[in-house]
Amino acid sequence: MSALAGTVGTPVREAEGRGMGSSVAYVTFADPDGHDDERETVLAAWAEAGIAGRAVRWDDPEADWGSFQAAVVRSTWDYVRRRAEFTAWAHRAAGLTRLLNPAPVIERNTDKTYLRELGVPVVPTHWTDTGLPLWDEYVVKPAISAGARDTIRTADREEAARHAAALRSGGRTPMIQPYLPMVEAEGETSLVYFGRVFSHAVRRSAMLSGSAAGVDNVRAALRDPAPDQLELAGRVLAGIPGDLLYARVDLVRLAGGEPALMELELTEPYLYLRWAPGSADRLAAALKALLT
Ligand SMILES: Nc1ncnc2c1ncn2[C@@H]1O[C@H](COP(=O)(O)OP(=O)(O)O)[C@@H](O)[C@H]1O
Ligand SMILES: [Mg+2]
């Protein structure tokens, strides 16, 4: 996930989303700090398209999922520490309403071990805490994470191994990667798709670059993706079966300049809507197409 600091949204009320007939649930989390600054934009675009949306917390025990025509997973950003509970919820909700993206997609996508199975170029990754390759600098992160949580950057191979071992002993799968300096030069490119159709792309600044570490300091700017990035993102999505209402493909360039997948966000991506005029309307149109 990539939450950006932004405007404070209205709080999600407990009672929202009950007995709403043919409305669509905008699935969020308790969000006490109002991090989801895209919610009102999306709900307004849905309303414009004739879709009545209601914000509902995924973990609201009173939510009546069967009363919704569909439930669209959006800002469920607290799932990282509760992933088993979250994926169990996704399967349960999918039995009661149309869950988008679908539950199997969400289950697979919330654990970055999916990167091993896509058959496309990904950031080089060593998956165990022993026998680390010799790299100038390391990034060590857990396979289940968001917002660079529990992620370190270090030039010290022993420290990298220790962090990986600590993740492992906590029952988590460590991912050890070379630190890619290109994320500082050209940034990370996030390509956003609605209904599998390209909508817009942003270039994002590095998250692990010393002075401005952390998700709230990431800067973004709209930019046209290069042909090789569009081609790779297309190949990534072609490998995912099922309905995809939204997708964000995060790419970086390796030392040789070739694009590689950093992360495929099919669960709860921040969508950079306010950077791209018309993008919320495209999301609404894609939802409408899937519902009819
Ligand atoms: N190998 C790497 N080299 C450079 N920066 C990295 C690397 N891995 C992660 N980062 C930085 O950390 C951020 C978060 O990592 P990511 O793998 O996207 O996980 P998540 O967004 O789920 O926390 C990236 O957006 C990027 O800025
Ligand atoms: Mg990411």
Side-chain angles (χ1 to χ4, degrees), residues 1-2 112 146-148 188 204 207 248 250 262-263 265:
M1 102 172 188
S2 299
K112 292 196 181 82
E188 192 173 341
R204 298 191 291 135
M207 216 187 270
R248 200 184 87 198
D250 293 346
M262 166 80 80
E263 187 180 11
E265 297 255 18

Side-chain angles (χ1 to χ4, degrees), residues 3-275:
L4 295 189
T7 54
V8 175
T10 45
V12 181
R13 290 187 302 279
E14 292 282 336
E16 278 180 310
R18 291 177 205 160
M20 294 311 298
S22 63
S23 59
V24 173
Y26 177 106
V27 186
T28 182
F29 74 129
D31 200 8
D33 303 318
H35 278 301
D36 181 3
D37 64 3
E38 299 196 310
R39 188 179 62 183
E40 300 309 321
T41 309
V42 170
L43 291 174
W46 287 0
E48 192 73 23
I51 299 166
R54 295 270 175 259
V56 190
R57 278 172 35 208
W58 69 272
D59 59 350
D60 179 350
E62 307 294 321
D64 180 4
W65 300 105
S67 72
F68 293 101
Q69 189 184 0
V72 176
V73 178
R74 292 281 56 252
S75 43
T76 55
W77 294 332
D78 60 347
Y79 84 82
V80 173
R81 292 171 190 280
R82 307 159 65 187
R83 186 202 170 225
E85 196 188 335
F86 180 66
T87 55
W89 163 80
H91 285 289
R92 196 168 63 247
L96 298 167
T97 188
R98 175 97 175 268
L99 190 72
L100 294 165
N101 288 333
V105 169
I106 285 177
E107 167 141 39
R108 192 68 204 96
N109 184 248
T110 44
D111 181 336
K112 292 196 181 82
T113 54
Y114 67 75
L115 288 168
R116 296 191 289 216
E117 296 163 6
L118 291 175
V120 300
V122 301
V123 174
T125 307
H126 182 80
W127 293 93
T128 59
D129 54 327
T130 54
L132 271 59
L134 282 171
W135 287 326
D136 289 343
E137 257 194 293
Y138 300 84
V139 171
V140 183
K141 54 189 164 186
I144 298 170
S145 181
R149 188 191 295 275
D150 299 327
T151 297
I152 67 159
R153 170 186 172 187
T154 178
D156 181 345
R157 188 159 165 257
E158 297 308 314
E159 188 189 352
R162 273 199 304 278
H163 187 63
L167 289 173
R168 195 168 194 67
S169 62
R172 307 169 80 182
T173 302
M175 299 172 63
I176 302 147
Q177 301 178 336
Y179 179 75
L180 300 172
M182 288 290 270
V183 303
E184 283 165 55
E186 96 153 40
E188 192 173 341
T189 301
S190 295
L191 295 87
V192 177
Y193 291 75
F194 298 131
R196 294 183 177 270
V197 176
F198 174 74
S199 169
H200 60 282
V202 295
R203 166 190 165 144
R204 298 191 291 135
S205 64
M207 216 187 270
L208 306 177
S209 62
S211 59
V215 97
D216 287 341
N217 292 308
V218 172
R219 292 179 312 279
L222 194 66
R223 82 149 164 205
D224 291 332
D228 60 352
Q229 294 172 320
L230 270 172
E231 189 272 331
L232 175 55
R235 264 201 291 152
V236 168
L237 293 182
I240 310 292
D243 290 333
L244 294 182
L245 172 59
Y246 52 84
R248 200 184 87 198
V249 186
D250 293 346
L251 304 180
V252 289
R253 289 192 186 276
L254 304 182
E258 66 279 24
L261 182 66
M262 166 80 80
E263 187 180 11
L264 171 60
E265 297 255 18
L266 300 177
T267 305
E268 30 58 284
Y270 189 84
L271 296 171
Y272 298 93
L273 299 174
R274 71 184 153 94
W275 279 261

